[in-house]
Amino acid sequence: MLTWLWGLKGAFLYCVILCSVKQDPTISGNAGTGKVDYSELKTKLRHELNINPHPDTVEEYRKQAEKAAEEAPRREDRAVFCQILASFYSHRANSSMAEKWIAEAERFSEGILSLEASTAYVRASLYQRERLSRKALSVIEPYVGKLTDEK
């Protein structure tokens, strides 16, 4: 029952988070200017590290993500890179590194509801992988009602 409930709440929260996060138009369209397109980089690193990692390139992308997490000028971007790294390490059963990066994501997300919620989702996913379903649900529960009212 808890697994089914977690799946339902997790899927719901994930959809709400994806709908609530807006792209910053000042970041995109920087090709050829020497500026990093953080929006594009987040998408690429999420794909290369967490969705479809390749053994030959994963180390290079991990380093890129760590650099971006430490150097991106906007804390919103830094929070997302930290979330990507937390998931990356969690998938590899490296809980100490996953915890390090999720703690950083929580620090950067503080005060921004949609980022707090997406960071809570990542933290809950880490708990779920450790078979701590009740703890996972308690982490995302505070955000479910808040985000459904957000326009």
Side-chain angles (χ1 to χ4, degrees):
M1 177 66 177
L2 277 178
T3 302
W4 178 83
L5 184 61
W6 162 249
L8 183 62
K9 282 193 173 211
F12 171 75
L13 184 61
Y14 186 70
C15 290
V16 170
I17 290 166
L18 285 179
C19 293
S20 68
V21 175
K22 297 172 181 63
Q23 284 190 347
D24 183 345
T26 62
I27 304 173
S28 57
N30 293 323
T33 65
K35 295 181 182 177
V36 176
D37 183 343
Y38 286 105
S39 179
E40 186 177 306
L41 185 59
K42 286 183 281 191
T43 301
K44 179 154 186 68
L45 292 175
R46 188 176 287 116
H47 182 267
E48 296 295 338
L49 292 175
N50 296 325
I51 297 171
N52 191 24
H54 190 278
D56 294 339
T57 59
V58 74
E59 188 62 20
E60 173 190 334
Y61 288 120
R62 182 197 56 80
K63 288 177 184 176
Q64 285 182 27
E66 288 184 2
K67 183 177 179 182
E70 294 167 355
E71 297 178 0
R74 296 176 64 237
R75 72 181 180 117
E76 293 89 340
D77 293 327
R78 292 177 84 171
V80 174
F81 290 120
C82 291
Q83 292 171 3
I84 292 168
L85 285 162
S87 292
F88 169 77
Y89 282 112
S90 177
H91 290 293
R92 280 144 191 84
N94 187 338
S95 58
S96 63
M97 289 300 289
E99 180 57 40
K100 171 195 172 192
W101 288 108
I102 198 65
E104 283 294 295
E106 288 168 343
R107 187 170 65 88
F108 290 125
S109 299
E110 190 173 339
I112 304 170
L113 183 60
S114 61
L115 277 175
E116 286 179 353
S118 62
T119 300
Y121 175 78
V122 174
R123 167 133 349 247
S125 297
L126 301 178
Y127 287 146
Q128 184 64 21
R129 285 187 192 107
E130 295 173 10
R131 301 191 189 283
L132 300 171
S133 298
R134 291 183 195 279
K135 199 169 185 178
L137 283 171
S138 71
V139 169
I140 63 169
E141 189 68 39
Y143 297 98
V144 174
K146 289 180 183 178
L147 288 174
T148 56
D149 297 331
E150 207 174 79
K151 302 279 187 240

